Each structure stands twice: as C-alpha cells, then as structure tokens.
Amino acid sequence: MPVRKKKSVPQRLLLQRPPLIPMHEPLTRDEVQRLQRHMRKHGPRSLTPRQHDAIWDFLFDLPESQGWLSHMVEQTQAAQASLRPRAKKEA
C-alpha cells in the first residue's frame, strides 16, 4: 500500500494584539476619530469595553445622531402601522 504524502497545511499566524491605547477624557471628536481609526486598523477587540462605550456615548449625544434616531423611529413606526390590519367600516 502506498504511503500517503503529508499535506502542507499553512498554520494560522497568531499575531500579537496591539497595545491598548490610552483614552483621554473628556472625549472630543478628534479623540473619537483616533479611537475609531485604531479599531478599524487592529480590530474591535483592540479597544476595551469602556472605550467602546465611551465612543457610543459620545456619538449618541451628538445633535445629528438624535435627528437621525428620531427619523428612524418615525420610519419604524410608519412601517409597523402599515402592517396592522385596518378596521373595517361598518355600513
């Protein structure tokens, strides 16, 4: 019986996690953008949960975010209303 040739399977390289970058508080728009750039480059696990929460809190407090959220709520409510059966008018 022939001997099977060993397959060459490339091993997944384990890259070291980039060092956590310190967060300067209070957050400014520049600081949020710096944290977001770091996260895009090194992945979402490169920031701490506290940093993620700080970014979301900053974005949530922006006036344009509140406008966008209220618009999305209106759209969702309109879509839900369109799915409800209409009451039949009795003649």
Side-chain angles (χ1 to χ4, degrees):
M1 199 174 233
V3 177
R4 289 174 102 185
K5 187 176 177 183
K6 287 186 178 181
K7 291 184 180 180
S8 172
V9 179
Q11 294 298 313
R12 202 172 130 205
L13 294 176
L14 294 177
L15 301 176
Q16 281 189 337
R17 194 168 156 181
L20 290 175
I21 55 175
M23 179 174 62
H24 305 288
E25 293 190 56
L27 284 184
T28 61
R29 187 175 294 270
D30 292 336
E31 179 67 11
V32 168
Q33 289 173 349
R34 185 179 74 85
L35 290 170
Q36 287 177 324
R37 272 194 310 271
H38 181 83
M39 185 174 61
R40 284 187 201 105
K41 184 176 181 182
H42 300 290
R45 298 187 71 192
S46 66
L47 297 180
T48 64
R50 188 169 155 265
Q51 288 172 324
H52 280 285
D53 292 344
I55 290 172
W56 280 108
D57 290 343
F58 178 84
L59 294 175
F60 184 75
D61 290 339
L62 294 176
E64 55 265 27
S65 296
Q66 294 300 318
W68 181 84
L69 283 171
S70 64
H71 179 69
M72 293 305 291
V73 168
E74 290 171 9
Q75 284 187 332
T76 303
Q77 289 172 342
Q80 289 173 343
S82 70
L83 295 174
R84 286 190 203 112
R86 295 184 184 178
K88 294 181 183 178
K89 292 183 180 178
E90 294 185 29

